Amino acid sequence: MVPVGNPKSDSMTEKTDVLQGTLALMALKTLDVLGPLHGYGIARRIEQISGDLLAVNQGTLYPVLLKLEQEGAISSEWGASENNRRARFYRLTRLGRKLLETETRDWEQTAAIIARFFAVKAEDLT
Amino acid sequence: MRFLRRFLARLKNFATGRRDDKRLREEMEEHLARQTEENLRAGMNVEEARRQAVMKFGGVGTVREDYHAEQGLPFFENLLQDSRFAIRMLAKSPGFTAIAVLTMALGIGATTAIFSLVDATLLHPLPYPHPEELVRIEDDLPGAGATDAGISIPEFKDLQRSGIFQYVVLEIFGSANLTGVSQPSRMQYEGVSPAYFAMLGVKPELGQTFDPQDQTPGFTLDVVISDGLWKRAFGSDPHIVGRSLRGDNDLYRVIGVMPPGFRDPGRTVGERNTEQWAALNFPDDPAQGPGRSLRLPLETVGRLKPGLTVAAAQSHLDALVASLREQFPGDYPADSKWTVRLVPLKENLVGNVRQSLILLLGAVGLVLLIGCVNVANLLLARASARSREMAVRQALGAARNRLVRQLLTESLLLSLLGGVAGLAIVFCMKGFLLRLIPESLPRLNDLSINWTVMLIALAASIAAGLIFGLAPAKQAGRLDLTTTLRTEGRGSKGSTEQTRTRRVLVVTEFALSLVLMVAAGLLLRSFWDLYKAPLGFNPQHVMSVQLWLPSPNDPKTDIYGTAAQEAVFARELLRRSRLLPGVQEAALGAEPSIPLRHDGNRSALIVEGRQTQGKQPPLVERSQVTPEYFHLLEIPVLRGRLFNDGDNENAPQVAVINQAMAETYWRGEDPLGKRLKLGPGRAGVGQSPSKSWITIVGVIADARTESLADASVPLIYLSLYQETPKELAIFLRGDLNPSAIPEEVRAMVQSVDPELPVYGAQTLNDAVAASLEQRRFSMDIVAAFAVTALLLAALGIYGVISYIVNERTREIGIRLALGAQRGKILAMVLRQGLGLAMAGAALGLVGSVVVSNLMAGLLYGVSPTDLLTFAGVTLMLTAVALAACYIPARRAMRVDPMIALRYE
């Protein structure tokens, strides 16, 4: 097989990394709130809540799910969905729950700092 | 922590080669099915629903790639893939691969070989624990012009008590006749203080060594022998401990055997080949032993206290020396300026070969560099042939750095293959290489391909691969896709940048070759001048054979004790020697009279009528010979006479000196009739102080009997019948058979006294050659490298010019079609090649001047900027370049314009 590779320019790679990070968090939160769910369900939920973010390229969720699984944050198994079709169900592990807590805290902290920063006016800085 | 789990999961997948394609496909299919369903419910028709679902999902290919990237270890997977591809590509062009691998093998193999030599000789020459603590202690008397003048016993005891050393040890070297075993032979022995083995920190293989606390004065009867002697003379007898042997007829008892690798860290080959150690001690009471100002011909070696640096120890020692000089002004006269110097043992051992070895390492590094440059050129040529392939790949979406990585993998594969091949060659040729190395190189360790050496080979391969891989890889990464894809055939011009790189590479190659060739040329001339220097004596058809008269400790058993007894023996030997087949002349001399012996054998000189109080006397080389010696070696007498039969043990002592000595000590006067006395120097047995005044009766011409490089060493000869040394040599001149003489002389000597070993038979021509050995070794190797470098450079320029001609075939065809003369085409191509060579030569000349000045210490009789060598080498280089260009130039000349123009 001739090596062809995937031409990604620099800016595109950055965007993908950020997207992956937030996608992982959203997937974890979804599983936390809704309990065990299959891939399609997670995708739909994220789409509903985040609006445009996952309106297209929903397939990018699956590598993210694999990464989370290999990190030990979620576990998966085959199961039967509502209409008795075979689907892979994902579930949050204890490690994943802890991870979610930490990440949520970090996000809130970051958001608070940014908010404070934006609230400061020019005169306050002198 | 998360990262680690993820990494381990990926590693597991990579190792087991698992690709969970099935799971992903099922999940994707499921996802698409649901989305399609939902779209149907929303009102789309079947095809639209499916299409929208697929579009919403995104690029399936991308998802799969990301998934696989997440699953395994993409770095290693790519590496494996690149390697397999590289192997296939290299296998497809076996000729190119063979040349490249061979070039690399030569370069890396040579580098490895020289490095292992440097490793054994310079980096780890001392196989003892904590070798940095071992030092040699030398006494200097700069006021009397004496360095390393020997130590006195009270000084030795002062050193022991000084608190600077863990151990201080005295050593005296000598040879003795080994008898009491199957065949009498000669054996190198060493008398040492009992702490010797404790100082060196080596345990015996069998039995035991000396007790460092032993203070019994005198020589002991217990000896330790080397593994070599145990095998050679005792046939590896397992009951060796307790066996007796006779050294010079004295009885000794073996108490231990040292392990096979153990050698004394002596300065000469003889010292390092010590086979037997005996313990000696001097009495404690200063009144009983030798006095403070009596310097004995002993070596002093010590081990510093742990943690003490040599510099710190030296300053402690200087303080001690200063206080001793104050305490004993009579023994240390102020103008002799007595000092004691510490020399790290390793420095002592390797100091004088360091420069040659560094030169060798530099030379071999240059060769490796040239090899890399050549392979880089080859790769560039290949890369331009593959430029279409690279352009197509990039157009299909390959990332540039992926392609660069793949090309680098190819280069690394080539260089690693070359490295392995080189190591294999060195391994197979190890025996041959070992024999090339002169014995005078201190090699206490055996040459081996150890881990350090292999690591260096690996590092060299990787570095080489990166160096020559970078150029084509970088170039592939900068292709202009549209242009490359559009041009038909193999590209009409190639990028100018690429051609420029190739030219730069060839110029560099030539420059490096020039430097190597100048170095080789200078060394060659030095060697030749030294070789051709007029010897002052005639070594042709002369052989010397050594024998050793024993000096037993019990004078009653000494049959050669008096001069008269030895004179009788000497005359009988001479008489019988003249009867041997082919012998025309015979003479006897003491061992130092053998030319080019490199044994320092000097005595203190006291001239009558010259004031010597308070000063240390100068030292001269001293030897004893029979009257026939000078005629045999064809050394002419300039003034006065040689020895005659009247100079026997009853007549006053006479001496013959050489011109150098006359010039040094009796400049402007006639030395004949002057009288002198000789004191003990750093000599071995038999060089006792002269009893009475010696009169000079003759002056002979200078000859290079002490050193090939220096003809003016002051020498004094005494008559063998008046002063009788124990270590003798028989000189024979005539139509001799070198393979038969040793046996014939042995039989002859042992017919007079069967207990005498006869050894060391050599022709004087061999002795002269042996004294040149180390220089010849350096010269041979550098010359070999220079020739290799030149060949590689010629190959390089051939490649470049060929390539240029190929590229410009169309242009040449057009020119020819338009009426250009073929001769002009030839000239044009040759001019291009010459231009490159000249640029290389100019660069190389600058480099050569720098390098030759660095090498100045190794040259003899030729200046570092010797015009003849530089000019000659440049001419040779130009000739080679022209020759290499000629073939492709001829091809250019013979281009058929019809074919060239039609070829697309």
Side-chain angles (χ1 to χ4, degrees):
Chain A
M1 194 182 124
V2 172
V4 176
N6 209 350
K8 289 199 179 91
S9 66
D10 269 0
S11 59
M12 256 185 82
T13 330
E14 261 181 45
K15 215 166 145 206
T16 325
D17 285 343
V18 169
L19 183 64
Q20 273 204 348
T22 48
L23 256 188
L25 195 55
M26 285 190 272
L28 285 178
K29 189 68 183 172
T30 309
L31 287 178
D32 183 41
V33 167
L34 292 181
L37 201 53
H38 48 66
Y40 180 72
I42 301 176
R44 288 295 275 146
R45 158 100 175 159
I46 293 178
E47 185 189 357
Q48 280 166 3
I49 298 187
S50 69
D52 276 338
L53 196 58
L54 209 55
V56 288
N57 285 337
Q58 284 189 336
T60 56
L61 183 62
Y62 288 95
V64 171
L65 287 176
L66 179 65
K67 175 166 173 240
L68 285 172
E69 187 172 348
Q70 294 198 146
E71 284 179 353
I74 61 179
S75 64
S76 70
E77 58 186 4
W78 289 108
S81 65
E82 329 48 89
N83 28 16
N84 253 340
R85 277 225 288 264
R86 198 166 117 97
R88 188 114 187 151
F89 278 82
Y90 295 91
R91 174 201 353 190
L92 202 60
T93 63
R94 208 187 49 190
L95 194 66
R97 206 171 295 278
K98 268 205 301 239
L99 183 64
L100 186 58
E101 283 171 22
T102 341
E103 289 285 304
T104 316
R105 240 195 344 261
D106 287 346
W107 267 105
E108 286 170 348
Q109 239 178 11
T110 314
I113 294 175
I114 299 283
R116 264 210 314 272
F117 196 78
F118 282 152
V120 163
K121 295 203 190 31
E123 304 90 60
D124 299 332
L125 278 174
T126 46
Chain B
M1 190 55 208
R2 272 174 27 222
F3 182 71
L4 194 62
R5 286 182 77 129
R6 183 169 155 220
F7 180 72
L8 285 175
R10 289 166 91 165
L11 190 64
K12 194 174 94 164
N13 288 337
F14 174 72
T16 58
R18 190 174 87 160
R19 299 179 74 103
D20 235 346
D21 231 10
K22 189 155 162 267
R23 167 176 152 176
L24 180 65
R25 267 186 287 134
E26 283 191 26
E27 278 196 273
M28 288 201 299
E29 204 38 60
E30 179 60 26
H31 188 116
L32 286 174
R34 286 174 178 272
Q35 185 68 53
T36 314
E37 257 184 42
E38 209 172 293
N39 287 347
L40 282 175
R41 275 203 295 268
M44 302 185 208
N45 60 28
V46 177
E47 294 123 32
E48 189 64 26
R50 179 76 185 178
R51 201 171 74 88
Q52 289 292 337
V54 166
M55 277 194 345
K56 190 159 176 189
F57 190 80
V60 171
T62 317
V63 170
R64 286 183 69 184
E65 294 248 346
D66 287 347
Y67 195 83
H68 286 145
E70 187 55 47
Q71 236 190 349
L73 292 167
F75 179 73
F76 288 114
E77 284 171 5
N78 287 344
L79 196 64
L80 261 183
Q81 196 179 38
D82 285 344
S83 308
R84 272 190 288 219
F85 186 65
I87 291 177
R88 282 216 314 274
M89 286 303 291
L90 290 180
K92 264 197 345 194
S93 38
F96 159 80
T97 314
I99 293 183
V101 169
L102 198 63
T103 313
M104 276 295 106
L106 271 176
I108 294 178
T111 311
T112 312
I114 298 293
F115 184 77
S116 70
L117 183 63
V118 168
D119 183 55
T121 331
L122 285 187
L123 294 182
H124 306 111
L126 296 178
Y128 314 115
H130 291 295
E132 67 281 359
E133 292 172 354
L134 293 171
V135 289
R136 192 175 287 277
I137 301 155
E138 296 185 356
D139 283 57
D140 293 335
L141 300 159
T147 48
D148 199 12
I151 195 172
S152 72
I153 297 307
E155 282 169 17
F156 169 63
K157 302 219 187 271
D158 289 334
L159 286 177
Q160 281 182 311
R161 287 190 292 251
S162 67
I164 306 176
F165 305 99
Q166 287 180 51
Y167 301 103
V168 189
V169 159
L170 294 175
E171 303 173 347
I172 182 167
F173 294 90
S175 324
N177 291 353
L178 175 66
T179 47
V181 291
S182 48
Q183 170 75 260
S185 63
R186 151 201 165 251
M187 146 181 86
Q188 302 276 48
Y189 75 80
E190 188 181 353
V192 293
S193 308
Y196 174 83
F197 292 102
M199 175 184 79
L200 289 181
V202 182
K203 298 245 173 309
E205 185 184 3
L206 292 175
Q208 52 181 160
T209 56
F210 306 128
D211 175 9
Q213 308 300 330
D214 183 359
Q215 297 286 356
T216 340
F219 261 96
T220 60
L221 299 180
D222 294 335
V223 295
V224 177
I225 64 174
S226 73
D227 181 80
L229 186 67
W230 178 46
K231 293 191 163 86
R232 171 164 83 82
F234 295 95
S236 304
D237 178 7
H239 302 292
I240 180 72
V241 177
R243 264 187 80 162
S244 62
L245 56 85
R246 283 185 183 275
D248 281 350
N249 281 338
D250 297 322
L251 195 60
Y252 294 97
R253 193 169 61 108
V254 178
I255 61 165
V257 179
M258 292 309 287
F262 178 76
R263 306 183 80 183
D264 177 89
R267 278 184 283 205
T268 69
V269 178
E271 291 176 9
R272 293 196 284 272
N273 283 334
T274 299
E275 294 170 302
Q276 181 210 318
W277 291 270
L280 60 85
N281 256 327
F282 290 91
D284 253 340
D285 180 359
Q288 261 194 40
R292 181 170 282 276
S293 55
L294 179 63
R295 298 198 171 278
L296 301 176
L298 303 167
E299 311 267 352
T300 319
V301 181
R303 182 183 276 279
L304 297 174
K305 285 233 154 72
L308 198 57
T309 65
V310 176
Q314 179 75 59
S315 59
H316 288 315
L317 198 56
D318 292 338
L320 177 66
V321 163
S323 93
L324 284 177
R325 281 170 69 169
E326 263 185 56
Q327 261 189 297
F328 302 100
D331 294 309
Y332 303 118
D335 51 1
S336 63
K337 300 203 202 65
W338 172 60
T339 45
V340 179
R341 217 171 5 113
L342 291 179
V343 182
L345 205 59
K346 174 170 142 173
E347 187 59 42
N348 198 250
L349 203 58
V350 305
N352 56 349
V353 298
R354 174 173 288 137
Q355 210 185 3
S356 330
L357 281 178
I358 303 281
L359 171 75
L360 280 182
L361 208 56
V364 86
L366 275 183
V367 169
L368 184 60
L369 207 59
I370 296 184
C372 286
V373 167
N374 247 1
V375 178
N377 251 340
L378 284 174
L379 279 176
L380 268 182
R382 208 154 156 263
S384 84
R386 286 167 72 183
S387 59
R388 274 201 98 194
E389 171 201 337
M390 294 291 152
V392 168
R393 284 217 235 147
Q394 282 192 42
L396 283 179
R400 286 224 172 114
N401 63 355
R402 185 82 167 78
L403 283 179
V404 166
R405 261 209 331 241
Q406 195 251 306
L407 286 176
L408 273 181
T409 313
E410 259 185 57
S411 314
L412 275 176
L413 195 66
L414 265 181
S415 68
L416 280 174
L417 275 176
V420 167
L423 262 183
I425 294 180
V426 170
F427 204 70
C428 295
M429 289 189 25
K430 199 166 89 143
F432 171 69
L433 287 172
L434 276 178
R435 266 182 282 140
L436 279 182
I437 300 172
E439 240 207 60
S440 51
L441 274 184
R443 260 175 35 231
L444 298 187
N445 286 316
D446 224 349
L447 281 195
S448 63
I449 317 273
N450 57 20
W451 290 113
T452 322
V453 170
M454 285 209 270
L455 213 66
I456 292 286
L458 185 66
S461 309
I462 294 182
L466 286 176
I467 290 176
F468 65 65
L470 222 51
K474 233 170 37 143
Q475 187 250 311
R478 288 212 238 104
L479 276 182
D480 179 3
L481 294 186
T482 34
T483 325
T484 319
L485 281 174
R486 253 195 280 166
T487 53
E488 262 103 358
R490 275 194 309 195
S492 62
K493 257 179 50 160
S495 71
T496 37
E497 167 121 15
Q498 187 203 56
T499 327
R500 196 178 339 137
T501 319
R502 300 196 76 201
R503 286 172 199 259
V504 165
L505 285 180
V506 169
V507 166
T508 322
E509 257 186 321
F510 260 86
L512 292 175
S513 302
L514 190 84
V515 171
L516 267 182
M517 284 182 61
V518 165
L522 287 175
L523 282 179
L524 189 73
R525 280 199 66 179
S526 295
F527 184 79
W528 188 251
D529 284 350
L530 208 56
Y531 186 66
K532 279 291 175 216
L535 286 170
F537 64 95
N538 185 358
Q540 301 288 357
H541 308 300
V542 177
M543 284 186 71
S544 67
V545 184
Q546 292 173 258
L547 57 130
W548 186 281
L549 301 180
S551 321
N553 291 342
D554 181 3
K556 287 197 281 291
T557 62
D558 188 359
I559 57 176
Y560 302 107
T562 66
Q565 285 171 310
E566 198 172 322
V568 166
F569 173 70
R571 290 203 164 88
E572 181 60 22
L573 267 191
L574 276 181
R575 188 186 71 81
R576 292 199 192 202
S577 298
R578 292 196 191 96
L579 297 175
L580 290 173
V583 173
Q584 292 160 0
E585 288 179 64
L588 277 183
E591 190 179 330
S593 68
I594 303 177
L596 299 170
R597 219 49 176 124
H598 303 299
D599 277 349
N601 190 4
R602 292 174 299 172
S603 305
L605 172 70
I606 302 160
V607 180
E608 181 182 41
R610 306 243 174 116
Q611 189 184 29
T612 52
Q613 280 127 320
K615 267 205 213 188
Q616 294 286 24
L619 301 174
V620 290
E621 300 283 347
R622 161 197 194 179
S623 185
Q624 301 83 14
V625 295
T626 60
E628 305 85 352
Y629 175 82
F630 302 103
H631 188 263
L632 189 144
L633 286 185
E634 296 183 17
I635 303 178
V637 57
L638 297 176
R639 283 207 272 224
R641 66 171 178 86
L642 298 173
F643 304 127
N644 55 34
D645 284 332
D647 304 314
N648 55 23
E649 55 271 18
N650 302 318
Q653 276 203 292
V654 292
V656 169
I657 62 175
N658 70 350
Q659 179 74 359
M661 185 158 169
E663 287 284 301
T664 315
Y665 298 106
W666 290 277
R667 182 184 285 274
E669 312 168 32
D670 183 3
L672 297 182
K674 298 278 188 299
R675 303 208 297 174
L676 53 92
K677 265 195 185 173
L678 291 171
R682 295 191 52 78
V685 184
Q687 299 286 21
S688 44
S690 54
K691 311 168 281 282
S692 55
W693 290 105
I694 306 173
T695 315
I696 299 177
V697 296
V699 179
I700 54 167
D702 285 338
R704 293 172 196 257
T705 50
E706 294 304 307
S707 152
L708 280 181
D710 187 2
S712 325
V713 178
L715 293 173
I716 182 167
Y717 294 94
L718 300 163
S719 168
L720 194 109
Y721 301 122
Q722 293 188 320
E723 185 169 282
T724 44
K726 295 283 181 240
E727 69 288 12
L728 297 175
I730 303 176
F731 295 92
L732 303 169
R733 173 186 282 284
D735 191 8
L736 307 169
N737 180 349
S739 44
I741 285 290
E743 254 322 294
E744 291 170 357
V745 172
R746 178 201 304 277
M748 185 264 293
V749 170
Q750 286 177 345
S751 69
V752 178
D753 180 350
E755 289 277 294
L756 293 180
V758 177
Y759 61 96
Q762 60 171 354
T763 66
L764 278 199
N765 277 333
D766 286 346
V768 172
S771 115
L772 285 173
E773 225 189 330
Q774 198 172 326
R775 267 182 203 271
R776 161 172 275 150
F777 175 64
S778 300
M779 181 194 79
D780 281 347
I781 292 225
V782 175
F785 288 158
V787 167
T788 314
L790 189 62
L791 280 174
L792 288 176
L795 224 79
I797 209 178
Y798 170 80
V800 166
I801 299 291
S802 281
Y803 180 71
I804 292 180
V805 165
N806 272 343
E807 294 268 285
R808 296 171 70 171
T809 310
R810 281 191 94 183
E811 174 199 334
I812 296 177
I814 293 174
R815 283 193 193 216
L816 286 174
L818 287 178
Q821 287 174 320
R822 292 189 184 265
K824 283 222 154 143
I825 305 286
L826 181 74
M828 176 182 82
V829 176
L830 280 182
R831 230 197 345 254
Q832 284 215 335
L834 212 59
L836 288 177
M838 286 294 101
L843 211 64
L845 280 175
V846 171
S848 307
V849 170
V850 171
V851 166
S852 66
N853 275 316
L854 287 175
M855 271 178 36
L858 291 171
L859 303 177
Y860 168 82
V862 65
S863 105
T865 47
D866 180 49
L867 219 56
L868 186 60
T869 315
F870 275 73
V873 163
T874 314
L875 268 162
M876 192 189 300
L877 208 72
T878 318
V880 167
L882 274 177
C885 295
Y886 183 65
I887 301 172
R890 241 170 44 140
R891 227 183 317 141
M893 209 174 70
R894 296 221 226 96
V895 163
D896 184 347
M898 300 301 275
I899 299 179
L901 286 173
R902 241 186 270 152
Y903 171 57
E904 309 231 346

